[in-house]
Amino acid sequence: MYEEISFANSDREAVEAAAQELFNHVKRLGVRLDDIDVVDPCDVCRRPEYQVHLGRLTADEAVTLNAALAELVAERGSHHD
């Protein structure tokens, strides 16, 4: 009888899910993170966990994202008053 084993990497899968969610949220704000990627841990890096790299943004994309985030922060602040 064969034993069922898994080669899935739950840590990476969790980071991939978080990156997918981030991608979709940012897309709804008007910016596509076309270069987003999940990078494996590095033995010699300061951060030994998986990382989400957002990739390159144009100046217009950065301005759009900044404006959308500023609006969300302002809305959040006004809800706490």
Side-chain angles (χ1 to χ4, degrees), residues 20-33:
Q20 181 69 48
E21 184 176 1
L22 177 64
F23 174 86
N24 286 317
H25 286 307
V26 171
K27 181 180 168 187
R28 284 192 290 276
L29 293 175
V31 176
R32 284 188 55 89
L33 298 174

Side-chain angles (χ1 to χ4, degrees), residues 16-59:
E16 288 173 352
Q20 181 69 48
E21 184 176 1
L22 177 64
F23 174 86
N24 286 317
H25 286 307
V26 171
K27 181 180 168 187
R28 284 192 290 276
L29 293 175
V31 176
R32 284 188 55 89
L33 298 174
D34 290 329
D35 296 330
I36 193 171
D37 196 12
V38 173
V39 179
D40 290 340
C42 172
D43 291 336
V44 295
C45 298
R46 292 181 309 170
R47 298 182 179 178
E49 63 272 344
Y50 285 95
Q51 296 181 17
V52 176
H53 286 225
L54 300 182
R56 298 174 188 229
L57 297 174
T58 66

Side-chain angles (χ1 to χ4, degrees), residues 5-21:
I5 62 172
S6 173
F7 295 99
N9 182 328
S10 60
D11 290 340
R12 182 178 175 91
E13 289 172 351
V15 174
E16 288 173 352
Q20 181 69 48
E21 184 176 1

Side-chain angles (χ1 to χ4, degrees), residues 62-80:
V63 167
T64 299
L65 186 55
N66 284 336
L69 291 172
E71 184 177 323
L72 287 173
V73 169
E75 286 177 13
R76 184 179 224 184
S78 68
H79 291 243
H80 291 281

